[in-house]
Amino acid sequence: DVKVTQSSRYLVKRTGEKVFLECVQDMDHENMFWYRQDPGLGLRLIYFSYDVKMKEKGDIPEGYSVSREKKERFSLILESASTNQTSMYLCASSWVGTGGGSPLHFGNGTRLTVT
Amino acid sequence: ILNVEQSPQSLHVQEGDSTNFTCSFPSSNFYALHWYRWETAKSPEALFVMTLNGDEKKKGRISATLNTKEGYSYLYIKGSQPEDSATYLCAFTYGGSQGNLIFGKGTKLSVKP
């Protein structure tokens, strides 16, 4: 079974802090994704990566950056955390592109609170 | 703006009832339709990925159909059980095999014993 591991389940940070959310997958998947989930909204894509050192903006990239130095690890960075970034963050990976029939495998999520 | 609509938003059924949900999506530039189940305190789990018009998939008591020409998919649960209680997410990929996956807001199902 594919395992996608997010480094923290719960995180509390202060406004203005730089925040790192880490995600590791163990199945040699090409694609990795970062989503956020907010009440009343669907999962929204922040960034994705289809190869090492490659990244593409999703629907809501503002205030975020990402890093993929190794195939198995995809980091989400909040350069200067703000209260509107309080949310549930989900990492996912897929073998090939989702349009090619490959499902997403999700981590357990990180609930981030910015105070 | 591309949108995925799911209905109903929530559903309460009794154990043993059969139920179904709808997912509507833009029919142009379609590549794949995904269904996920998201139980509380767990991660979303893939149920089905469908790519062809007319596709029907089944996994135990759960099945799904796809109509890409009119832009909808149905998810059916036969004989609902309390363990089926979860939020069911639909998502579609457009614009290519590496295209963006757009999620709906989900249908929250509660099954009472």
Side-chain angles (χ1 to χ4, degrees):
Chain A
D1 259 3
V2 176
K3 193 161 185 188
V4 179
T5 304
Q6 293 184 231
S7 54
S8 305
R9 193 85 170 100
Y10 299 95
L11 213 49
V12 180
K13 295 290 180 182
R14 293 197 180 274
T15 302
E17 276 192 79
K18 191 168 185 175
V19 182
F20 293 86
L21 301 183
E22 306 287 348
C23 175
V24 177
Q25 51 94 3
D26 66 358
M27 281 299 288
D28 205 35
H29 281 179
E30 299 291 331
N31 297 355
M32 296 189 76
F33 307 80
W34 275 106
Y35 287 90
R36 66 178 277 179
Q37 167 74 39
D38 299 292
L41 300 175
L43 285 170
R44 292 182 294 165
L45 182 65
I46 305 171
Y47 268 97
F48 69 100
S49 167
Y50 53 85
D51 202 352
V52 175
K53 296 193 187 292
M54 303 299 285
K55 61 184 179 185
E56 293 284 341
K57 290 180 181 179
D59 300 318
I60 50 165
E62 297 78 21
Y64 302 95
S65 62
V66 289
S67 171
R68 193 161 181 208
E69 296 295 319
K70 292 185 178 181
K71 194 174 187 180
E72 66 270 19
R73 186 180 295 271
F74 193 35
S75 303
L76 180 70
I77 303 154
L78 285 66
E79 296 291 342
S80 176
S82 63
T83 53
N84 63 13
Q85 292 177 311
T86 292
S87 187
M88 168 71 89
Y89 290 87
L90 284 161
C91 175
S93 70
S94 68
W95 179 243
V96 291
T98 58
S102 185
L104 292 181
H105 298 266
F106 286 91
N108 278 336
T110 296
R111 189 167 288 284
L112 172 68
T113 302
V114 182
T115 61
Chain B
I1 295 176
L2 293 166
N3 218 21
V4 176
E5 299 285 344
Q6 289 189 248
S7 63
Q9 276 189 317
S10 64
L11 200 51
H12 298 264
V13 302
Q14 289 292 134
E15 183 175 354
D17 287 351
S18 293
T19 187
N20 65 84
F21 325 133
T22 304
C23 172
S24 301
F25 54 89
S27 53
S28 61
N29 218 5
F30 170 89
Y31 271 77
L33 192 285
H34 296 229
W35 281 101
Y36 294 86
R37 174 170 59 203
W38 193 359
E39 295 177 65
T40 304
K42 293 187 178 180
S43 53
E45 172 197 2
L47 289 171
F48 307 112
V49 181
M50 297 182 285
T51 57
L52 299 175
N53 184 45
D55 250 355
E56 290 188 27
K57 296 222 172 177
K58 190 173 179 182
K59 190 175 182 177
R61 294 178 291 100
I62 305 177
S63 60
T65 61
L66 177 65
N67 183 323
T68 60
K69 292 184 178 178
E70 294 180 41
Y72 66 83
S73 174
Y74 295 135
L75 188 79
Y76 301 93
I77 302 179
K78 188 177 176 183
S80 303
Q81 300 295 309
E83 58 264 31
D84 295 328
S85 297
T87 296
Y88 290 83
L89 300 174
C90 161
F92 93 110
T93 306
Y94 70 96
S97 61
Q98 287 285 11
N100 206 349
L101 188 63
I102 307 292
F103 279 86
K105 294 178 184 178
T107 293
K108 187 170 182 179
L109 174 67
S110 298
V111 183
K112 287 188 177 176

PDB file of all heavy atoms in Angstrom, chain B residues 25-57:
ATOM      1  N   PHE B  25     -20.226  17.984 -13.907  1.00  0.00           N
ATOM      2  CA  PHE B  25     -18.962  18.612 -14.272  1.00  0.00           C
ATOM      3  C   PHE B  25     -19.041  19.101 -15.715  1.00  0.00           C
ATOM      4  O   PHE B  25     -19.889  18.625 -16.486  1.00  0.00           O
ATOM      5  CB  PHE B  25     -17.807  17.603 -14.101  1.00  0.00           C
ATOM      6  CG  PHE B  25     -18.023  16.307 -14.834  1.00  0.00           C
ATOM      7  CD1 PHE B  25     -17.610  16.160 -16.147  1.00  0.00           C
ATOM      8  CD2 PHE B  25     -18.662  15.232 -14.213  1.00  0.00           C
ATOM      9  CE1 PHE B  25     -17.820  14.978 -16.833  1.00  0.00           C
ATOM     10  CE2 PHE B  25     -18.880  14.053 -14.895  1.00  0.00           C
ATOM     11  CZ  PHE B  25     -18.464  13.916 -16.195  1.00  0.00           C
ATOM     12  N   PRO B  26     -18.154  20.016 -16.106  1.00  0.00           N
ATOM     13  CA  PRO B  26     -18.155  20.478 -17.502  1.00  0.00           C
ATOM     14  C   PRO B  26     -17.804  19.323 -18.432  1.00  0.00           C
ATOM     15  O   PRO B  26     -16.861  18.569 -18.170  1.00  0.00           O
ATOM     16  CB  PRO B  26     -17.069  21.559 -17.522  1.00  0.00           C
ATOM     17  CG  PRO B  26     -16.878  21.943 -16.098  1.00  0.00           C
ATOM     18  CD  PRO B  26     -17.181  20.725 -15.282  1.00  0.00           C
ATOM     19  N   SER B  27     -18.539  19.181 -19.519  1.00  0.00           N
ATOM     20  CA  SER B  27     -18.324  18.023 -20.386  1.00  0.00           C
ATOM     21  C   SER B  27     -17.203  18.235 -21.400  1.00  0.00           C
ATOM     22  O   SER B  27     -16.751  17.284 -22.048  1.00  0.00           O
ATOM     23  CB  SER B  27     -19.620  17.656 -21.106  1.00  0.00           C
ATOM     24  OG  SER B  27     -20.142  18.787 -21.764  1.00  0.00           O
ATOM     25  N   SER B  28     -16.729  19.472 -21.550  1.00  0.00           N
ATOM     26  CA  SER B  28     -15.674  19.704 -22.547  1.00  0.00           C
ATOM     27  C   SER B  28     -14.308  19.454 -21.930  1.00  0.00           C
ATOM     28  O   SER B  28     -14.099  19.676 -20.745  1.00  0.00           O
ATOM     29  CB  SER B  28     -15.758  21.131 -23.065  1.00  0.00           C
ATOM     30  OG  SER B  28     -15.577  22.044 -22.011  1.00  0.00           O
ATOM     31  N   ASN B  29     -13.382  18.980 -22.772  1.00  0.00           N
ATOM     32  CA  ASN B  29     -11.987  18.793 -22.359  1.00  0.00           C
ATOM     33  C   ASN B  29     -11.836  17.837 -21.176  1.00  0.00           C
ATOM     34  O   ASN B  29     -10.955  18.006 -20.350  1.00  0.00           O
ATOM     35  CB  ASN B  29     -11.366  20.155 -22.005  1.00  0.00           C
ATOM     36  CG  ASN B  29      -9.917  20.230 -22.460  1.00  0.00           C
ATOM     37  OD1 ASN B  29      -9.400  19.332 -23.117  1.00  0.00           O
ATOM     38  ND2 ASN B  29      -9.257  21.306 -22.103  1.00  0.00           N
ATOM     39  N   PHE B  30     -12.694  16.839 -21.130  1.00  0.00           N
ATOM     40  CA  PHE B  30     -12.725  15.887 -20.030  1.00  0.00           C
ATOM     41  C   PHE B  30     -11.618  14.858 -20.178  1.00  0.00           C
ATOM     42  O   PHE B  30     -11.352  14.373 -21.274  1.00  0.00           O
ATOM     43  CB  PHE B  30     -14.091  15.189 -20.008  1.00  0.00           C
ATOM     44  CG  PHE B  30     -14.152  14.013 -19.065  1.00  0.00           C
ATOM     45  CD1 PHE B  30     -14.526  14.195 -17.744  1.00  0.00           C
ATOM     46  CD2 PHE B  30     -13.823  12.733 -19.497  1.00  0.00           C
ATOM     47  CE1 PHE B  30     -14.580  13.122 -16.882  1.00  0.00           C
ATOM     48  CE2 PHE B  30     -13.865  11.655 -18.639  1.00  0.00           C
ATOM     49  CZ  PHE B  30     -14.248  11.848 -17.329  1.00  0.00           C
ATOM     50  N   TYR B  31     -10.995  14.500 -19.041  1.00  0.00           N
ATOM     51  CA  TYR B  31     -10.008  13.423 -19.070  1.00  0.00           C
ATOM     52  C   TYR B  31     -10.333  12.311 -18.088  1.00  0.00           C
ATOM     53  O   TYR B  31     -10.164  11.132 -18.393  1.00  0.00           O
ATOM     54  CB  TYR B  31      -8.592  13.976 -18.825  1.00  0.00           C
ATOM     55  CG  TYR B  31      -7.929  14.375 -20.112  1.00  0.00           C
ATOM     56  CD1 TYR B  31      -8.280  15.558 -20.751  1.00  0.00           C
ATOM     57  CD2 TYR B  31      -7.005  13.537 -20.720  1.00  0.00           C
ATOM     58  CE1 TYR B  31      -7.710  15.901 -21.955  1.00  0.00           C
ATOM     59  CE2 TYR B  31      -6.430  13.879 -21.934  1.00  0.00           C
ATOM     60  CZ  TYR B  31      -6.790  15.052 -22.551  1.00  0.00           C
ATOM     61  OH  TYR B  31      -6.224  15.389 -23.744  1.00  0.00           O
ATOM     62  N   ALA B  32     -10.768  12.635 -16.892  1.00  0.00           N
ATOM     63  CA  ALA B  32     -11.047  11.577 -15.915  1.00  0.00           C
ATOM     64  C   ALA B  32     -11.977  12.096 -14.835  1.00  0.00           C
ATOM     65  O   ALA B  32     -12.010  13.288 -14.537  1.00  0.00           O
ATOM     66  CB  ALA B  32      -9.752  11.063 -15.275  1.00  0.00           C
ATOM     67  N   LEU B  33     -12.713  11.177 -14.239  1.00  0.00           N
ATOM     68  CA  LEU B  33     -13.609  11.495 -13.135  1.00  0.00           C
ATOM     69  C   LEU B  33     -13.230  10.597 -11.953  1.00  0.00           C
ATOM     70  O   LEU B  33     -13.105   9.372 -12.110  1.00  0.00           O
ATOM     71  CB  LEU B  33     -15.071  11.247 -13.557  1.00  0.00           C
ATOM     72  CG  LEU B  33     -16.238  11.734 -12.709  1.00  0.00           C
ATOM     73  CD1 LEU B  33     -16.455  10.903 -11.467  1.00  0.00           C
ATOM     74  CD2 LEU B  33     -16.119  13.202 -12.356  1.00  0.00           C
ATOM     75  N   HIS B  34     -13.033  11.224 -10.794  1.00  0.00           N
ATOM     76  CA  HIS B  34     -12.605  10.496  -9.599  1.00  0.00           C
ATOM     77  C   HIS B  34     -13.686  10.559  -8.520  1.00  0.00           C
ATOM     78  O   HIS B  34     -14.337  11.595  -8.358  1.00  0.00           O
ATOM     79  CB  HIS B  34     -11.355  11.153  -8.985  1.00  0.00           C
ATOM     80  CG  HIS B  34     -10.136  11.135  -9.851  1.00  0.00           C
ATOM     81  ND1 HIS B  34      -8.902  10.715  -9.370  1.00  0.00           N
ATOM     82  CD2 HIS B  34      -9.922  11.497 -11.133  1.00  0.00           C
ATOM     83  CE1 HIS B  34      -7.996  10.826 -10.325  1.00  0.00           C
ATOM     84  NE2 HIS B  34      -8.587  11.301 -11.404  1.00  0.00           N
ATOM     85  N   TRP B  35     -13.837   9.478  -7.773  1.00  0.00           N
ATOM     86  CA  TRP B  35     -14.651   9.468  -6.553  1.00  0.00           C
ATOM     87  C   TRP B  35     -13.760   9.064  -5.379  1.00  0.00           C
ATOM     88  O   TRP B  35     -12.992   8.096  -5.466  1.00  0.00           O
ATOM     89  CB  TRP B  35     -15.806   8.473  -6.651  1.00  0.00           C
ATOM     90  CG  TRP B  35     -16.982   8.937  -7.447  1.00  0.00           C
ATOM     91  CD1 TRP B  35     -17.308   8.612  -8.726  1.00  0.00           C
ATOM     92  CD2 TRP B  35     -18.030   9.813  -6.996  1.00  0.00           C
ATOM     93  NE1 TRP B  35     -18.472   9.218  -9.111  1.00  0.00           N
ATOM     94  CE2 TRP B  35     -18.941   9.965  -8.066  1.00  0.00           C
ATOM     95  CE3 TRP B  35     -18.293  10.480  -5.794  1.00  0.00           C
ATOM     96  CZ2 TRP B  35     -20.087  10.755  -7.973  1.00  0.00           C
ATOM     97  CZ3 TRP B  35     -19.428  11.270  -5.699  1.00  0.00           C
ATOM     98  CH2 TRP B  35     -20.310  11.392  -6.778  1.00  0.00           C
ATOM     99  N   TYR B  36     -13.905   9.817  -4.266  1.00  0.00           N
ATOM    100  CA  TYR B  36     -13.153   9.525  -3.043  1.00  0.00           C
ATOM    101  C   TYR B  36     -14.115   9.458  -1.867  1.00  0.00           C
ATOM    102  O   TYR B  36     -15.124  10.166  -1.837  1.00  0.00           O
ATOM    103  CB  TYR B  36     -12.105  10.620  -2.759  1.00  0.00           C
ATOM    104  CG  TYR B  36     -10.996  10.683  -3.788  1.00  0.00           C
ATOM    105  CD1 TYR B  36     -11.156  11.421  -4.956  1.00  0.00           C
ATOM    106  CD2 TYR B  36      -9.808   9.995  -3.608  1.00  0.00           C
ATOM    107  CE1 TYR B  36     -10.161  11.467  -5.921  1.00  0.00           C
ATOM    108  CE2 TYR B  36      -8.796  10.035  -4.573  1.00  0.00           C
ATOM    109  CZ  TYR B  36      -8.995  10.762  -5.714  1.00  0.00           C
ATOM    110  OH  TYR B  36      -8.002  10.814  -6.673  1.00  0.00           O
ATOM    111  N   ARG B  37     -13.758   8.636  -0.886  1.00  0.00           N
ATOM    112  CA  ARG B  37     -14.496   8.592   0.379  1.00  0.00           C
ATOM    113  C   ARG B  37     -13.585   9.152   1.458  1.00  0.00           C
ATOM    114  O   ARG B  37     -12.421   8.755   1.582  1.00  0.00           O
ATOM    115  CB  ARG B  37     -14.888   7.158   0.734  1.00  0.00           C
ATOM    116  CG  ARG B  37     -15.521   7.021   2.105  1.00  0.00           C
ATOM    117  CD  ARG B  37     -16.100   5.658   2.324  1.00  0.00           C
ATOM    118  NE  ARG B  37     -15.105   4.616   2.189  1.00  0.00           N
ATOM    119  CZ  ARG B  37     -15.398   3.352   1.898  1.00  0.00           C
ATOM    120  NH1 ARG B  37     -16.648   2.986   1.724  1.00  0.00           N
ATOM    121  NH2 ARG B  37     -14.441   2.461   1.811  1.00  0.00           N
ATOM    122  N   TRP B  38     -14.145  10.082   2.263  1.00  0.00           N
ATOM    123  CA  TRP B  38     -13.358  10.725   3.303  1.00  0.00           C
ATOM    124  C   TRP B  38     -14.075  10.549   4.617  1.00  0.00           C
ATOM    125  O   TRP B  38     -15.043  11.241   4.926  1.00  0.00           O
ATOM    126  CB  TRP B  38     -13.156  12.210   2.970  1.00  0.00           C
ATOM    127  CG  TRP B  38     -12.102  12.875   3.809  1.00  0.00           C
ATOM    128  CD1 TRP B  38     -11.346  12.329   4.809  1.00  0.00           C
ATOM    129  CD2 TRP B  38     -11.685  14.230   3.686  1.00  0.00           C
ATOM    130  NE1 TRP B  38     -10.474  13.255   5.306  1.00  0.00           N
ATOM    131  CE2 TRP B  38     -10.649  14.429   4.655  1.00  0.00           C
ATOM    132  CE3 TRP B  38     -12.054  15.298   2.878  1.00  0.00           C
ATOM    133  CZ2 TRP B  38     -10.000  15.653   4.795  1.00  0.00           C
ATOM    134  CZ3 TRP B  38     -11.413  16.526   3.040  1.00  0.00           C
ATOM    135  CH2 TRP B  38     -10.398  16.691   3.989  1.00  0.00           C
ATOM    136  N   GLU B  39     -13.548   9.620   5.434  1.00  0.00           N
ATOM    137  CA  GLU B  39     -14.103   9.392   6.768  1.00  0.00           C
ATOM    138  C   GLU B  39     -13.444  10.353   7.749  1.00  0.00           C
ATOM    139  O   GLU B  39     -12.259  10.694   7.595  1.00  0.00           O
ATOM    140  CB  GLU B  39     -13.845   7.949   7.206  1.00  0.00           C
ATOM    141  CG  GLU B  39     -14.565   6.915   6.355  1.00  0.00           C
ATOM    142  CD  GLU B  39     -14.225   5.506   6.779  1.00  0.00           C
ATOM    143  OE1 GLU B  39     -14.583   5.123   7.921  1.00  0.00           O
ATOM    144  OE2 GLU B  39     -13.580   4.798   5.997  1.00  0.00           O
ATOM    145  N   THR B  40     -14.193  10.691   8.768  1.00  0.00           N
ATOM    146  CA  THR B  40     -13.693  11.620   9.793  1.00  0.00           C
ATOM    147  C   THR B  40     -12.399  11.085  10.396  1.00  0.00           C
ATOM    148  O   THR B  40     -12.300   9.892  10.695  1.00  0.00           O
ATOM    149  CB  THR B  40     -14.750  11.793  10.889  1.00  0.00           C
ATOM    150  OG1 THR B  40     -15.958  12.230  10.271  1.00  0.00           O
ATOM    151  CG2 THR B  40     -14.308  12.818  11.916  1.00  0.00           C
ATOM    152  N   ALA B  41     -11.423  11.952  10.562  1.00  0.00           N
ATOM    153  CA  ALA B  41     -10.129  11.637  11.182  1.00  0.00           C
ATOM    154  C   ALA B  41      -9.269  10.696  10.336  1.00  0.00           C
ATOM    155  O   ALA B  41      -8.261  10.179  10.819  1.00  0.00           O
ATOM    156  CB  ALA B  41     -10.298  11.063  12.575  1.00  0.00           C
ATOM    157  N   LYS B  42      -9.667  10.475   9.092  1.00  0.00           N
ATOM    158  CA  LYS B  42      -8.839   9.665   8.192  1.00  0.00           C
ATOM    159  C   LYS B  42      -8.518  10.476   6.940  1.00  0.00           C
ATOM    160  O   LYS B  42      -8.989  11.594   6.768  1.00  0.00           O
ATOM    161  CB  LYS B  42      -9.587   8.384   7.804  1.00  0.00           C
ATOM    162  CG  LYS B  42      -9.800   7.434   8.961  1.00  0.00           C
ATOM    163  CD  LYS B  42     -10.391   6.141   8.468  1.00  0.00           C
ATOM    164  CE  LYS B  42     -10.567   5.159   9.617  1.00  0.00           C
ATOM    165  NZ  LYS B  42     -11.147   3.875   9.154  1.00  0.00           N
ATOM    166  N   SER B  43      -7.695   9.897   6.077  1.00  0.00           N
ATOM    167  CA  SER B  43      -7.382  10.583   4.824  1.00  0.00           C
ATOM    168  C   SER B  43      -8.359  10.140   3.739  1.00  0.00           C
ATOM    169  O   SER B  43      -8.891   9.029   3.790  1.00  0.00           O
ATOM    170  CB  SER B  43      -5.944  10.291   4.402  1.00  0.00           C
ATOM    171  OG  SER B  43      -5.715   8.908   4.360  1.00  0.00           O
ATOM    172  N   PRO B  44      -8.615  11.006   2.742  1.00  0.00           N
ATOM    173  CA  PRO B  44      -9.490  10.591   1.632  1.00  0.00           C
ATOM    174  C   PRO B  44      -8.926   9.344   0.950  1.00  0.00           C
ATOM    175  O   PRO B  44      -7.717   9.220   0.762  1.00  0.00           O
ATOM    176  CB  PRO B  44      -9.459  11.792   0.685  1.00  0.00           C
ATOM    177  CG  PRO B  44      -9.077  12.953   1.550  1.00  0.00           C
ATOM    178  CD  PRO B  44      -8.160  12.392   2.589  1.00  0.00           C
ATOM    179  N   GLU B  45      -9.855   8.466   0.561  1.00  0.00           N
ATOM    180  CA  GLU B  45      -9.462   7.192  -0.047  1.00  0.00           C
ATOM    181  C   GLU B  45     -10.130   7.091  -1.410  1.00  0.00           C
ATOM    182  O   GLU B  45     -11.334   7.321  -1.528  1.00  0.00           O
ATOM    183  CB  GLU B  45      -9.925   6.057   0.862  1.00  0.00           C
ATOM    184  CG  GLU B  45      -9.767   4.670   0.305  1.00  0.00           C
ATOM    185  CD  GLU B  45     -10.617   3.654   1.057  1.00  0.00           C
ATOM    186  OE1 GLU B  45     -11.338   4.058   1.982  1.00  0.00           O
ATOM    187  OE2 GLU B  45     -10.576   2.480   0.692  1.00  0.00           O
ATOM    188  N   ALA B  46      -9.361   6.747  -2.426  1.00  0.00           N
ATOM    189  CA  ALA B  46      -9.912   6.634  -3.777  1.00  0.00           C
ATOM    190  C   ALA B  46     -10.877   5.454  -3.869  1.00  0.00           C
ATOM    191  O   ALA B  46     -10.578   4.346  -3.410  1.00  0.00           O
ATOM    192  CB  ALA B  46      -8.785   6.476  -4.791  1.00  0.00           C
ATOM    193  N   LEU B  47     -12.047   5.727  -4.450  1.00  0.00           N
ATOM    194  CA  LEU B  47     -13.012   4.663  -4.730  1.00  0.00           C
ATOM    195  C   LEU B  47     -12.905   4.233  -6.195  1.00  0.00           C
ATOM    196  O   LEU B  47     -12.724   3.064  -6.498  1.00  0.00           O
ATOM    197  CB  LEU B  47     -14.437   5.137  -4.440  1.00  0.00           C
ATOM    198  CG  LEU B  47     -14.815   5.335  -2.980  1.00  0.00           C
ATOM    199  CD1 LEU B  47     -16.185   6.007  -2.876  1.00  0.00           C
ATOM    200  CD2 LEU B  47     -14.817   4.009  -2.238  1.00  0.00           C
ATOM    201  N   PHE B  48     -13.065   5.208  -7.080  1.00  0.00           N
ATOM    202  CA  PHE B  48     -13.052   4.901  -8.510  1.00  0.00           C
ATOM    203  C   PHE B  48     -12.383   6.035  -9.278  1.00  0.00           C
ATOM    204  O   PHE B  48     -12.468   7.190  -8.892  1.00  0.00           O
ATOM    205  CB  PHE B  48     -14.485   4.764  -9.059  1.00  0.00           C
ATOM    206  CG  PHE B  48     -15.357   3.800  -8.328  1.00  0.00           C
ATOM    207  CD1 PHE B  48     -16.447   4.259  -7.594  1.00  0.00           C
ATOM    208  CD2 PHE B  48     -15.114   2.442  -8.378  1.00  0.00           C
ATOM    209  CE1 PHE B  48     -17.260   3.373  -6.912  1.00  0.00           C
ATOM    210  CE2 PHE B  48     -15.914   1.545  -7.707  1.00  0.00           C
ATOM    211  CZ  PHE B  48     -16.993   2.008  -6.963  1.00  0.00           C
ATOM    212  N   VAL B  49     -11.747   5.660 -10.392  1.00  0.00           N
ATOM    213  CA  VAL B  49     -11.323   6.622 -11.399  1.00  0.00           C
ATOM    214  C   VAL B  49     -11.867   6.130 -12.728  1.00  0.00           C
ATOM    215  O   VAL B  49     -11.626   4.976 -13.106  1.00  0.00           O
ATOM    216  CB  VAL B  49      -9.789   6.760 -11.483  1.00  0.00           C
ATOM    217  CG1 VAL B  49      -9.411   7.799 -12.540  1.00  0.00           C
ATOM    218  CG2 VAL B  49      -9.202   7.149 -10.141  1.00  0.00           C
ATOM    219  N   MET B  50     -12.639   6.968 -13.402  1.00  0.00           N
ATOM    220  CA  MET B  50     -13.265   6.571 -14.661  1.00  0.00           C
ATOM    221  C   MET B  50     -12.854   7.531 -15.756  1.00  0.00           C
ATOM    222  O   MET B  50     -12.784   8.753 -15.528  1.00  0.00           O
ATOM    223  CB  MET B  50     -14.788   6.555 -14.502  1.00  0.00           C
ATOM    224  CG  MET B  50     -15.254   5.522 -13.480  1.00  0.00           C
ATOM    225  SD  MET B  50     -17.033   5.450 -13.310  1.00  0.00           S
ATOM    226  CE  MET B  50     -17.308   6.931 -12.373  1.00  0.00           C
ATOM    227  N   THR B  51     -12.587   6.988 -16.933  1.00  0.00           N
ATOM    228  CA  THR B  51     -12.117   7.826 -18.027  1.00  0.00           C
ATOM    229  C   THR B  51     -12.972   7.747 -19.277  1.00  0.00           C
ATOM    230  O   THR B  51     -12.877   8.631 -20.139  1.00  0.00           O
ATOM    231  CB  THR B  51     -10.667   7.460 -18.400  1.00  0.00           C
ATOM    232  OG1 THR B  51     -10.615   6.067 -18.735  1.00  0.00           O
ATOM    233  CG2 THR B  51      -9.715   7.720 -17.237  1.00  0.00           C
ATOM    234  N   LEU B  52     -13.786   6.711 -19.415  1.00  0.00           N
ATOM    235  CA  LEU B  52     -14.540   6.525 -20.660  1.00  0.00           C
ATOM    236  C   LEU B  52     -16.024   6.753 -20.463  1.00  0.00           C
ATOM    237  O   LEU B  52     -16.612   6.314 -19.463  1.00  0.00           O
ATOM    238  CB  LEU B  52     -14.328   5.095 -21.180  1.00  0.00           C
ATOM    239  CG  LEU B  52     -12.887   4.730 -21.522  1.00  0.00           C
ATOM    240  CD1 LEU B  52     -12.788   3.262 -21.900  1.00  0.00           C
ATOM    241  CD2 LEU B  52     -12.357   5.617 -22.646  1.00  0.00           C
ATOM    242  N   ASN B  53     -16.646   7.384 -21.425  1.00  0.00           N
ATOM    243  CA  ASN B  53     -18.087   7.583 -21.398  1.00  0.00           C
ATOM    244  C   ASN B  53     -18.782   6.222 -21.309  1.00  0.00           C
ATOM    245  O   ASN B  53     -18.431   5.292 -22.032  1.00  0.00           O
ATOM    246  CB  ASN B  53     -18.549   8.321 -22.652  1.00  0.00           C
ATOM    247  CG  ASN B  53     -20.029   8.621 -22.613  1.00  0.00           C
ATOM    248  OD1 ASN B  53     -20.545   9.069 -21.594  1.00  0.00           O
ATOM    249  ND2 ASN B  53     -20.709   8.386 -23.721  1.00  0.00           N
ATOM    250  N   GLY B  54     -19.747   6.125 -20.398  1.00  0.00           N
ATOM    251  CA  GLY B  54     -20.447   4.858 -20.230  1.00  0.00           C
ATOM    252  C   GLY B  54     -19.802   3.913 -19.231  1.00  0.00           C
ATOM    253  O   GLY B  54     -20.352   2.858 -18.922  1.00  0.00           O
ATOM    254  N   ASP B  55     -18.626   4.296 -18.723  1.00  0.00           N
ATOM    255  CA  ASP B  55     -17.947   3.472 -17.721  1.00  0.00           C
ATOM    256  C   ASP B  55     -18.860   3.201 -16.538  1.00  0.00           C
ATOM    257  O   ASP B  55     -19.603   4.077 -16.099  1.00  0.00           O
ATOM    258  CB  ASP B  55     -16.710   4.230 -17.194  1.00  0.00           C
ATOM    259  CG  ASP B  55     -15.419   3.608 -17.656  1.00  0.00           C
ATOM    260  OD1 ASP B  55     -15.462   2.549 -18.309  1.00  0.00           O
ATOM    261  OD2 ASP B  55     -14.357   4.182 -17.352  1.00  0.00           O
ATOM    262  N   GLU B  56     -18.803   1.965 -16.056  1.00  0.00           N
ATOM    263  CA  GLU B  56     -19.460   1.610 -14.802  1.00  0.00           C
ATOM    264  C   GLU B  56     -18.448   0.835 -13.989  1.00  0.00           C
ATOM    265  O   GLU B  56     -17.798  -0.076 -14.488  1.00  0.00           O
ATOM    266  CB  GLU B  56     -20.687   0.729 -15.043  1.00  0.00           C
ATOM    267  CG  GLU B  56     -21.840   1.452 -15.690  1.00  0.00           C
ATOM    268  CD  GLU B  56     -23.117   0.612 -15.745  1.00  0.00           C
ATOM    269  OE1 GLU B  56     -23.291  -0.263 -14.890  1.00  0.00           O
ATOM    270  OE2 GLU B  56     -23.915   0.837 -16.653  1.00  0.00           O
ATOM    271  N   LYS B  57     -18.315   1.232 -12.705  1.00  0.00           N
ATOM    272  CA  LYS B  57     -17.363   0.529 -11.839  1.00  0.00           C
ATOM    273  C   LYS B  57     -18.078   0.119 -10.556  1.00  0.00           C
ATOM    274  O   LYS B  57     -19.015   0.775 -10.117  1.00  0.00           O
ATOM    275  CB  LYS B  57     -16.170   1.425 -11.538  1.00  0.00           C
ATOM    276  CG  LYS B  57     -15.360   1.777 -12.766  1.00  0.00           C
ATOM    277  CD  LYS B  57     -13.883   1.719 -12.528  1.00  0.00           C
ATOM    278  CE  LYS B  57     -13.137   1.890 -13.831  1.00  0.00           C
ATOM    279  NZ  LYS B  57     -11.692   1.913 -13.663  1.00  0.00           N
TER     280      LYS B  57
END
